[in-house]
Amino acid sequence: GENVGLHLPTLSVQEGDNSIINCAYSNSASDYFIWYKQESGKGPQFIIDIRSNMDKRQGQRVTVLLNKTVKHLSLQIAATQPGDSAVYFCAEIGRDFGNEKLTFGTGTRLTIIP
Amino acid sequence: NAGVTQTPKFQVLKTGQSMTLQCAQDMNHEYMSWYRQDPGMGLRLIHYSVGAGITDQGEVPNGYNVSRSTTEDFPLRLLSAAPSQTSVYFCASSHTGSEQYFGPGTRLTVT
């Protein structure tokens, strides 16, 4: 079946450095992708999204890149801070009988080293 | 706005017991969903609703029931709890089903 997965389950980055979290997807029909951040003991929080007609989108300290040719999504976090330590999920939007549904990847744990 | 609220925060059940996890949102969102989160599995969709009176099954619906009598509330019922239902449960809501707002979660343990 279709799935959304992540290349690496854990990532450690020195504070102040940039981090890149990768995600592979297999449903070529997906037209919308979202990155979520989940801190310990909390629900996922929306970070940034991108539609399939774009290849790059920037937010505050975050950039999402989409490569449809290889079905790859990445989240870049610039100048990482201790508060960036969390689990990051990519998610794709699929359609089920016309309704949108989110399918999540398994997550990458990002640890910022002071 | 309180956003998405969930109660209880923690719950321990014995096998065979039933209970209802409550979820409410005050953002007038049409879409509401229930997910469970297990280690190494990410979030999996249990049931969802696209509006009051409409519900549908997600990826892992067995053992769970939902109803949506109002726009604000979307309770999740466990009819006969099993140890396999030990998990963290998240409720979410959105306008369109895409950018979802998540509640704080309910940690359920079934012994």
Side-chain angles (χ1 to χ4, degrees):
Chain A
E2 305 292 358
N3 65 82
V4 177
L6 295 174
H7 291 311
L8 296 172
T10 62
L11 179 65
S12 295
V13 174
Q14 204 71 37
E15 182 180 352
D17 287 352
N18 299 335
S19 68
I20 299 176
I21 300 171
N22 296 304
C23 178
Y25 66 95
S26 58
N27 184 358
S28 56
S30 293
D31 59 3
Y32 185 51
F33 303 88
I34 301 177
W35 280 100
Y36 282 89
K37 173 186 180 184
Q38 186 176 22
E39 296 175 278
S40 181
K42 298 183 179 178
Q45 181 181 13
F46 173 91
I47 303 173
I48 191 167
D49 58 1
I50 188 167
R51 295 208 174 270
S52 61
N53 61 353
M54 304 169 69
D55 52 21
K56 180 179 179 179
R57 189 156 189 231
Q58 288 184 288
Q60 188 176 12
R61 286 199 305 116
V62 295
T63 300
V64 56
L65 299 178
L66 176 62
N67 185 331
K68 295 181 285 294
T69 303
V70 295
K71 297 188 195 131
H72 183 268
L73 193 69
S74 68
L75 176 71
Q76 300 177 1
I77 305 174
T80 53
Q81 303 168 358
D84 294 329
S85 291
V87 177
Y88 291 82
F89 294 93
C90 67
E92 64 173 329
I93 302 295
R95 287 197 172 267
D96 180 27
F97 298 102
N99 296 319
E100 292 180 336
K101 285 200 302 188
L102 234 54
T103 302
F104 285 84
T106 54
T108 291
R109 181 175 298 280
L110 175 65
T111 301
I112 306 303
I113 304 166
Chain B
N1 287 349
V4 180
T5 58
Q6 291 182 238
T7 56
K9 201 167 177 61
F10 301 95
Q11 182 70 50
V12 178
L13 291 177
K14 289 188 180 354
T15 297
Q17 286 185 311
S18 63
M19 80 157 294
T20 299
L21 308 186
Q22 302 291 345
C23 175
Q25 52 91 10
D26 61 359
M27 297 173 282
N28 203 32
H29 285 166
E30 291 298 318
Y31 278 63
M32 294 187 76
S33 309
W34 275 102
Y35 295 86
R36 60 178 287 172
Q37 185 174 38
D38 302 295
M41 301 287 289
L43 289 107
R44 293 183 291 170
L45 182 65
I46 305 172
H47 284 285
Y48 66 101
S49 167
V50 301
I54 307 169
T55 63
D56 209 342
Q57 296 182 348
E59 181 185 355
V60 287
N62 292 341
Y64 308 95
N65 276 359
V66 292
S67 60
R68 186 93 181 273
S69 55
T70 66
T71 299
E72 293 79 18
D73 301 295
F74 190 43
L76 177 73
R77 296 183 188 84
L78 281 71
L79 304 175
S80 178
S84 61
Q85 294 178 303
T86 293
S87 188
V88 182
Y89 291 84
F90 288 101
C91 178
S93 74
S94 68
H95 277 300
T96 63
S98 49
E99 183 185 337
Q100 299 200 18
Y101 295 82
F102 285 83
T106 294
R107 185 174 294 274
L108 175 69
T109 302
V110 183
T111 61

